[in-house]
Amino acid sequence: MSRAGQALRTSYLVASVAGVLFFALSVALLGVWPARLLDQQTAAMAPEKPLEPTTSEKRGRAVYAREGCAYCHTQQIRYLHADMSRFGAPTLAWETRRDTPHLWGTRRIGPDLSRVGGTRSLDWQYAHLYAPRAMVAASVMPGYPALFDGAPDRPRQEARDLVAYLDALGRARELAGPEGESRARAGCNCPDDEMQQMAFEGPLNAHPARAIRTPDAAPALAGGDLERGQALYGRHCATCHGTTGAGDGPGARYLAPAPAKLAEHAYATARLADVLWHGVAGSAMPAWRDYSTEDRAALALAVQALSAPRPEPEVPAHLVTLGREVYAANCAQCHGVDGDGRGSAAGKLTMAPANFTAQRLSLTEAVRVLREGVHGSPMAPWTTRLTDAERLAAAHYVRSLFRAAPPAMVGR
Amino acid sequence: MFGLVAAWQLIAPDLGRDVAWLGWGRVRYAHTQGIMLGWLANAFFAFLYHAVPILTGRPVTSARLGVWIFALWNLAVMAPGWVLVLAGVSQPLEWAEFPLVVDVVAVLALALAAVQFLPGFFRRGIESLYVSSWYIIGGLVFTLLSYPMGNVVPEFLPGAAGAAISGLWIHDAVGLFVTPMALAILYFVIPASTGRPVFSHFLSMLGFWLLFFLYPLNGTHHYVYSVIPMAAQLTAIVASALLGVTVVIVVTNLFLSMRGAGLLPKDPALRFVGTGTFFYVIVSLQGSAQAQMAVNETVHFTDWVVAHSHMAMLGFASFAAAGGLVHAWQRMPEARYNATAITWAYWMLVVGLVGMVVDLTIGGLVQGELWKSGAPWIDSVTASRVYWVARAHIGSILAAGFIALLVGLTTGPRGAGMSVRPAPSTDGRDEVAPRLAPATEAL
């Protein structure tokens, strides 16, 4: 064999060994070493006793994996402001310590789901899983009727597990609370690392649709383009509230409380501003914070246009006094003495009581609600406690509390 | 076909709504595994049966072993893999969706393939190996290492650590299995078809080693801006840039080897292979670019990346595989060959692929910009619809192209491929082997 051949042979042998070593190096450098660092990070930054997934959530996770949900929904919020302002704090290593195998995903057709827990109501999740376009008209998500017994309100075990899993996403960090965050911050020990510090910036859950119960005022709305509002309404609201605002959209029947019959309400603009910004916590009504002020103003106009002004019914004199008495005795604890929804018991309820100064129900709707209650909300039927006349009087009375532009519109 | 179903489901999401096994996610699992393991791996194995005896100068290890590998791969990997994934038994890991039980058989089959194809190379002495041989050895050996790493390990590692390994496999699957096999075909078919040795054996070997050093270091670029340690992310980003440089070296060498054949070579095998080479350099430079943080920020998670992976698996790998098959068919007197169908296949695949890549790249940019603008999420879905509609139709062209390829290789008169073979070289011989020997003395 020639000398050149021998040299070549030797160099090939060296290169072959080096090639295998490089592969080993890649696994060590990009697989094993990061895994060790991430383990250390998890140990240092996790809360003392982090929330463990329940059996149902684990089973739900398996359904999520099996159906390939991760191919359209990531579970990884990047250290980028665009991600953080939409979904919340970047995903920390310890948050994924029970995710075996990982479900990070590499494509977002739908939104990231890392912090979707508590963002949507459970009945919305069921209805949406069953028939996505009944809830979000433009969605391209496949429906999963196979997880149900023929209707969204008859979920099989798998659907219950899946929804339990979805509703738990992000919960471990949320429940770790401020103590957990400060422990993570201390464990990170990275005060000068700008990127790592981003994990502690801003709200934990920034989902713009998440309903928030807060006394903070929503940005005020004024003006607005009615036509634009009607187009937006048709695209985003009609699925639940119905095209005419009768509360009869395709998604309506599976939600409790049922979507508001917008045509039966007169709303103060401030009330609509509040609902569109904060959503209605305790119901399936999401917030629409990702829509511009102009769009929300346009939507408010469109909603107001759904209830045509009608001649006000005369209130018989004897009902006025009776109504005031019935209201004071039965309704004021929750709805407030002045009807502003801030009664002494209001804060303890799963859903904020209606603020009658900012919204006026039609008489028939008010009478119906008093008779039937609002299923899925703390508002009970009043047929056993009040007579027909008392309920009619109360209906008249709550309508009289409406102030189209109330002096102090804070919260509900 | 699964890809086509998935594409249509995005624009008609209620398609197959009541059939659980036709759920989008499951179909999507079947699509990626089908393309990589069902189509490409089978095509590569077929080509190896043609190339390895020529490269080594002796037959493959055993014909009976070949039957076993074929049966294992198609009846014990692909068929049960597809059935299980559609039935809901799968791994939620990209490019590794077949469940563990199938992985075991796949590794066994790959090991048998190594036994089948590799011994001849070592008998010949490694100093006289042609570059295609190196790629075949590298591809088979490294796939044996990376397949279990990527298909088994992440199934048992949690969260971020599992994602890190998954990222490695996503790249190794392409870089250590598909790319070496496809390059082996390019380096084989080009000199065999043009009648001249490759432009530079030195460059070809340089490219080979750089590729095998750099490819494995790329994986973490799938998780830029994640909690995976920044040093790992940066390593992958730098390696991605270097990889782009390497591919330019490789492709320059390939194109110089093809000079004189024209933009649209007459030999259909060379035409497929040349187009594949072209897509290879485009997709690699694109890959280097999108690994950079400033680009990744916008295009990650969008259809841009989907376009990228289609260009890699269809543009580069499938064109190489098709070229390899056509080349082999031209040299088998008993093989049926339909020249018209092959021409149609080429053009439909070119039109379909370019259309899909352009369409999804633009769609991806639109999605990325809308996400950054803070517009409501659903706006990005609504805005994507036009691109998804286009993609579904273009996908039909691609599927038709593959059917035409199948028709081209299974119908027509036996041995018809021999007539579209390039004319024998000037020395009057049509022996392929001499042109594939490395010019050791050139060093």
Side-chain angles (χ1 to χ4, degrees):
Chain A
M1 186 183 299
S2 71
R3 260 174 113 170
Q6 210 148 26
L8 201 59
R9 193 186 173 93
T10 318
S11 59
Y12 279 158
L13 274 173
V14 172
S16 301
V17 174
V20 176
L21 286 181
F22 254 70
F23 179 78
L25 175 76
S26 82
V27 177
L29 191 66
L30 303 182
V32 179
W33 174 72
R36 283 194 49 155
L37 277 188
L38 289 165
D39 276 349
Q40 290 167 8
Q41 223 183 77
T42 299
M45 290 173 70
E48 231 163 312
K49 288 204 172 93
L51 196 67
E52 295 296 333
T54 65
T55 308
S56 172
E57 287 160 19
K58 283 185 207 161
R59 288 194 306 238
R61 193 172 190 284
V63 177
Y64 185 97
R66 181 188 76 198
E67 299 302 336
C69 303
Y71 281 25
C72 291
H73 296 283
T74 55
Q75 281 189 37
Q76 183 221 339
I77 302 175
R78 297 179 294 167
Y79 287 74
L80 281 173
H81 289 290
D83 270 30
M84 291 160 62
S85 61
R86 210 181 269 282
F87 306 118
T91 310
L92 289 174
W94 75 262
E95 294 184 82
T96 65
R97 79 199 190 296
R98 291 286 179 266
D99 284 345
T100 310
H102 78 93
L103 293 168
W104 278 23
T106 56
R107 173 79 177 94
R108 280 179 188 156
I109 289 177
D112 183 276
L113 296 182
S114 320
R115 309 206 182 282
V116 79
T119 298
R120 298 285 187 173
S121 70
L122 298 188
D123 51 0
W124 185 93
Q125 291 283 18
Y126 284 121
H128 181 254
L129 264 181
Y130 185 84
R133 274 154 300 290
M135 310 309 291
V136 182
S139 168
V140 295
M141 182 170 128
Y144 292 91
L147 306 178
F148 295 81
D149 268 326
D153 51 357
R154 288 161 62 197
R156 290 176 198 260
Q157 185 65 51
E158 286 198 328
R160 277 197 288 269
D161 291 338
L162 181 53
V163 169
Y165 169 66
L166 292 173
D167 203 48
L169 285 172
R171 190 189 285 158
R173 183 146 166 214
E174 207 157 320
L175 288 188
E179 297 87 345
E181 288 299 294
S182 48
R183 199 183 142 88
R185 211 184 276 263
C188 180
N189 195 17
C190 52
D192 301 324
D193 188 329
E194 266 178 50
M195 186 164 148
Q196 291 209 49
Q197 281 299 320
M198 286 167 79
F200 310 109
E201 275 172 29
L204 193 53
N205 182 334
H207 203 297
R210 187 186 219 197
I212 308 172
R213 203 167 162 182
T214 164
D216 297 344
L221 299 179
D225 173 353
L226 179 60
E227 258 177 55
R228 164 116 184 112
Q230 282 166 336
L232 285 169
Y233 180 91
R235 238 177 285 151
H236 304 306
C237 315
T239 46
C240 295
H241 294 289
T243 39
T244 59
D248 58 354
R253 34 194 300 224
Y254 302 109
L255 299 178
K261 297 178 178 176
L262 300 176
E264 300 292 332
H265 289 72
Y267 289 104
T269 307
R271 169 64 182 154
L272 293 173
D274 180 52
V275 169
L276 287 171
W277 184 256
H278 291 125
V280 178
S283 82
M285 174 67 186
W288 301 85
R289 284 187 293 274
D290 44 354
Y291 287 74
S292 66
T293 317
E294 293 75 43
D295 280 351
R296 277 179 285 117
L299 267 174
L301 268 193
V303 169
Q304 285 167 330
L306 289 170
S307 51
R310 330 169 204 199
E312 277 301 299
E314 278 298 308
V315 188
H318 68 281
L319 286 185
V320 177
T321 341
L322 180 60
R324 184 180 298 124
E325 286 165 11
V326 169
Y327 183 88
N330 299 289
C331 316
Q333 295 95 317
C334 298
H335 291 283
V337 179
D338 305 323
D340 59 3
R342 297 205 279 174
S344 52
K348 296 174 185 70
L349 300 177
T350 52
M351 229 183 119
N355 171 356
F356 295 120
T357 66
Q359 66 187 64
R360 182 174 59 197
L361 291 75
S362 70
L363 188 61
T364 45
E365 178 67 357
V367 168
R368 187 193 65 80
V369 168
L370 278 163
R371 193 177 60 239
E372 297 173 4
V374 177
H375 177 59
S377 88
M379 176 70 185
W382 287 85
T383 37
T384 52
R385 304 276 298 273
L386 300 177
T387 65
D388 288 358
E390 284 169 328
R391 291 200 306 275
L392 181 62
H396 276 299
Y397 184 74
V398 299
R399 299 188 74 249
S400 72
L401 297 169
F402 181 61
R403 308 279 174 270
M409 256 300 302
V410 180
R412 42 193 82 98
Chain B
M1 283 296 133
F2 287 124
L4 201 55
V5 172
W8 277 99
Q9 279 175 336
L10 266 187
I11 57 172
D14 285 327
L15 203 68
R17 170 176 177 273
D18 295 313
V19 192
W21 64 268
L22 269 181
W24 189 89
R26 300 190 191 183
V27 171
R28 170 71 168 69
Y29 285 177
H31 168 59
T32 29
Q33 296 282 271
I35 289 295
M36 184 168 77
L37 304 177
W39 150 238
L40 288 176
N42 269 317
F44 291 153
F45 285 155
F47 178 77
L48 290 184
Y49 280 105
H50 171 73
V52 169
I54 294 175
L55 288 166
T56 59
R58 45 171 65 80
V60 293
T61 303
S62 146
R64 192 189 287 176
L65 182 60
V67 176
W68 271 100
I69 295 171
F70 178 83
L72 271 181
W73 196 260
N74 291 294
L75 303 179
V77 173
M78 287 318 298
W82 268 339
V83 169
L84 287 172
V85 158
L86 292 179
V89 183
S90 51
Q91 301 183 148
L93 303 167
E94 246 183 329
W95 297 108
E97 290 88 348
F98 283 172
L100 282 177
V101 54
V102 175
D103 291 336
V104 173
V105 186
V107 172
L108 175 68
L110 285 170
L112 291 180
V115 172
Q116 174 80 316
F117 298 117
L118 297 188
F121 292 119
F122 296 111
R123 272 191 226 165
R124 204 164 176 206
I126 58 171
E127 73 281 355
S128 54
L129 287 184
Y130 177 62
V131 62
S132 284
S133 315
W134 279 104
Y135 275 114
I136 292 167
I137 298 170
L140 285 175
V141 170
F142 280 89
T143 305
L144 264 178
L145 296 175
S146 63
Y147 191 97
M149 186 268 299
N151 285 262
V152 179
V153 178
E155 186 71 5
F156 300 103
L157 271 183
I165 296 279
S166 257
L168 288 187
W169 165 246
I170 297 177
H171 213 89
D172 286 353
V174 181
L176 297 182
F177 174 59
V178 172
T179 300
M181 292 303 173
L183 281 176
I185 297 176
L186 302 188
Y187 275 118
F188 188 97
V189 172
I190 290 175
S193 177
T194 59
R196 286 190 312 267
V198 291
F199 175 74
S200 161
H201 286 285
F202 174 72
L203 285 183
S204 69
M205 287 317 297
L206 183 71
F208 170 80
W209 288 111
L210 284 175
L211 284 186
F212 271 88
F213 289 166
L214 288 173
Y215 253 114
L217 290 170
N218 269 245
T220 319
H221 69 197
H222 295 262
Y223 297 107
V224 179
Y225 291 109
S226 75
V227 72
I228 293 174
M230 208 26 156
Q233 294 184 36
L234 289 174
T235 307
I237 291 167
V238 172
S240 306
L242 292 175
L243 188 61
V245 177
T246 308
V247 171
V248 170
I249 297 176
V250 171
V251 169
T252 307
N253 192 21
L254 287 169
F255 275 138
L256 285 172
S257 310
M258 276 177 70
R259 67 192 187 284
L263 269 182
L264 207 60
K266 257 186 154 161
D267 175 11
L270 190 61
R271 196 185 297 171
F272 270 112
V273 160
T275 313
T277 313
F278 175 72
F279 287 134
Y280 181 44
V281 70
I282 301 292
V283 77
S284 299
L285 292 177
Q286 185 196 23
S288 303
Q290 76 199 30
Q292 305 310 308
M293 295 182 93
V295 183
N296 193 276
E297 181 179 341
T298 305
V299 303
H300 191 43
F301 295 140
T302 72
D303 273 333
W304 168 294
V305 181
V306 181
H308 173 71
S309 48
H310 278 88
M311 184 149 48
M313 293 308 236
L314 286 185
F316 166 43
S318 295
F319 272 78
L325 292 181
V326 170
H327 176 84
W329 253 246
Q330 290 172 344
R331 280 150 186 84
M332 292 193 294
E334 68 278 23
R336 293 186 181 279
Y337 186 90
N338 181 334
T340 321
I342 295 291
T343 311
W344 272 95
Y346 174 80
W347 285 111
M348 284 197 281
L349 289 174
V350 168
V351 169
L353 184 88
V354 172
M356 179 175 288
V357 168
V358 169
D359 173 61
L360 290 180
T361 301
I362 299 173
L365 288 172
V366 169
Q367 290 153 5
E369 289 303 323
L370 276 174
W371 293 347
K372 279 205 291 189
S373 76
W377 186 269
I378 198 71
D379 285 7
S380 72
V381 176
T382 316
S384 304
R385 196 184 151 78
V386 53
Y387 303 102
W388 290 339
V389 170
R391 185 253 305 268
H393 288 95
I394 295 167
S396 315
I397 304 179
L398 275 173
F402 276 113
I403 292 170
L405 182 63
L406 179 70
V407 169
L409 298 177
T410 50
T411 64
R414 288 186 191 280
M418 316 268 289
S419 56
V420 289
R421 217 161 123 170
S425 56
T426 41
D427 54 14
R429 296 184 307 171
D430 191 38
E431 286 290 313
V432 170
R435 280 174 233 140
L436 301 180
T440 312
E441 50 280 11
L443 280 173

